[in-house]
Amino acid sequence: MPQIPIITLPDEKTLREVSRPVAQVDAGVRRLWDDMLETMYRAPGIGLAAIQVGVPQRLLVIDLSKDGEEKKPLFVANPEIVWSSPAQSDYEEGCLSIPEYYEMVTRPSEIRIRYRDRQGEPMELHATGLMSTCLQHEIDHLNGVLFIDHISRLKRERVLKKFQKAQKLGKL
Ligand code: GNR
Ligand code: NI
């Protein structure tokens, strides 16, 4: 199964795109999900949005299973957050599109989403803990939002500059 290159900063042109819903979950969508999953496992990461491999469709994959455990991939199309808890939690986030940068992000602790599953069936999922954090992080990607948008402007601009400079120096 092909791995696909992951788009990183400073390529904001792609990462800031707002992805479009898929009209239906068909064989092409399932193939893309499979390629995304393979790409995510090799990275390695726990979640991946289609825009991170350059495809502006509202698709994501998540697998929170640990090394050596049975894999538990979650395939999500067209997710919508239908409820967010008033309570918030902090979690130290990272992103495959912002390599080697980690920062605390505050988000609603729990969410409820509606989405289409691998068969195209409507589903609902109540997420807590890391699943909630990861889903919010991935759904942000579908809207062109990165986790650094949730931290201070000073820190965000410092990170963006670092990646712009690295590219100029030919280090990306
Ligand atoms: O692999 C990932 N780890 C992670 C850790 C904390 C919060 C969010 C994430 S998602 C990230 C993979 C990624 O960039 N998905 O878009
Ligand atoms: Ni990410």
Side-chain angles (χ1 to χ4, degrees):
M1 234 177 268
Q3 319 172 49
I4 321 171
I6 294 175
I7 292 164
T8 64
L9 288 181
D11 184 358
E12 285 194 89
K13 185 171 175 298
T14 304
L15 293 172
R16 295 304 189 182
E17 273 188 65
V18 177
S19 297
R20 300 195 14 197
V22 294
Q24 53 181 14
V25 175
D26 56 16
V29 165
R30 282 188 282 269
R31 189 172 319 124
L32 176 58
W33 265 331
D34 290 340
D35 293 347
M36 287 167 58
L37 193 68
E38 189 69 22
T39 302
M40 184 191 85
Y41 285 150
R42 302 262 180 110
I46 57 173
L48 194 72
I51 193 63
Q52 293 179 276
V53 293
V55 180
Q57 296 186 1
R58 302 186 80 81
L59 298 171
L60 55 94
V61 293
I62 292 181
D63 192 334
L64 303 183
S65 65
K66 304 211 175 73
D67 264 6
E69 286 180 6
E70 192 190 336
K71 300 247 178 288
K72 287 199 184 71
L74 176 69
F75 300 97
V76 174
N78 301 347
E80 289 179 75
I81 297 176
V82 294
W83 176 81
S84 303
S85 67
Q88 300 196 304
S89 309
D90 298 333
Y91 198 92
E92 183 166 68
E93 299 197 16
C95 181
L96 294 171
S97 297
I98 312 174
E100 290 165 50
Y101 183 75
Y102 304 89
E103 195 53 70
M104 293 299 287
V105 176
T106 304
R107 300 181 185 272
S109 307
E110 303 187 10
I111 59 167
R112 192 164 184 87
I113 65 161
R114 284 200 190 118
Y115 67 102
R116 298 277 167 167
D117 72 4
R118 202 166 161 98
Q119 277 67 49
E121 297 297 324
M123 301 290 285
E124 280 202 17
L125 174 66
H126 184 102
T128 66
L130 183 55
M131 179 58 88
S132 173
T133 295
C134 194
L135 273 168
Q136 291 176 69
H137 176 116
E138 303 313 336
I139 292 168
D140 270 354
H141 275 301
L142 305 183
N143 295 321
V145 173
L146 301 170
F147 85 87
I148 53 171
D149 300 333
H150 298 286
I151 66 180
S152 75
R153 191 172 105 178
L154 181 69
K155 285 178 178 169
R156 177 170 57 255
E157 285 177 354
R158 201 188 286 148
V159 180
L160 289 168
K161 282 221 173 71
K162 193 191 83 159
F163 280 93
Q164 283 156 8
K165 184 173 171 191
Q167 187 174 61
K168 283 205 190 84
L169 296 172
K171 290 180 180 167
L172 277 178

